[in-house]
Amino acid sequence: MYVTPIHETLDTNFLQLEESIHSKENIKRRIFLRFAFFAGNTFVVTALPFMGNFVNLFGSLALIPVTFVFPSMIFLKVKVKTSRIENNMWHCFNAVLFSLLAVVSTISALRLIVNNVRQYHFFADS
């Protein structure tokens, strides 16, 4: 799901747009692009034994705010005048709490990455 924008960018830049998306040439290019992307991705993941820590960093920077903070902010922007004070307070609480959680988890993920950079080397077994 998160790779879809990358696939779209690759398709836009490398496929022959004047031809059909299902033409033989475009299908060959698409298969090659997908293979090259996943091969490069696999190489990076095997080179960095602590790649999961970057997933933690991405989650703390992007997924927590988008999942929890953004909907509450939208609610407050759209319905602040028409909703009850309890609803507004709840959404303010959610926005503040999960913003703090995002900051703390980002610091934690960065600390974990720094510690693992000191401990591991490329293509480490353990």
Side-chain angles (χ1 to χ4, degrees):
M1 177 170 84
Y2 298 112
V3 180
T4 304
I6 295 171
H7 289 308
E8 182 63 32
T9 302
L10 289 172
D11 290 349
T12 303
N13 290 329
F14 293 106
L15 295 184
Q16 296 175 352
L17 299 177
E18 61 275 354
E19 292 185 19
S20 168
I21 195 76
H22 300 295
S23 70
K24 193 173 189 177
E25 187 63 32
N26 278 340
I27 289 176
K28 281 193 261 183
R29 286 178 186 233
R30 180 180 283 164
I31 289 171
F32 175 76
L33 289 170
R34 301 290 193 270
F35 173 77
F37 176 74
F38 284 113
N41 190 24
T42 302
F43 178 77
V44 169
V45 168
T46 57
L48 298 172
F50 49 91
M51 189 64 190
N53 298 344
F54 290 102
V55 174
N56 294 341
L57 181 64
F58 175 73
S60 65
L61 286 174
L63 299 180
I64 290 175
V66 167
T67 304
F68 297 108
V69 177
F70 187 66
S72 291
M73 297 300 290
I74 294 295
F75 179 87
L76 290 172
K77 183 71 175 170
V78 172
K79 294 195 171 196
V80 70
K81 294 178 182 174
T82 60
S83 65
R84 296 186 355 220
I85 189 72
E86 296 86 13
N87 285 340
N88 292 339
M89 294 292 289
W90 174 252
H91 287 286
C92 282
F93 173 75
N94 279 341
V96 170
L97 177 72
F98 287 108
S99 294
L100 291 173
L101 179 67
V103 169
V104 169
S105 62
T106 300
I107 292 169
S108 173
L110 287 173
R111 182 178 176 277
L112 195 58
I113 289 170
V114 168
N115 286 341
N116 285 336
V117 164
R118 290 184 196 145
Q119 182 178 1
Y120 293 107
H121 57 281
F122 286 124
F123 301 107
D125 288 347
S126 57

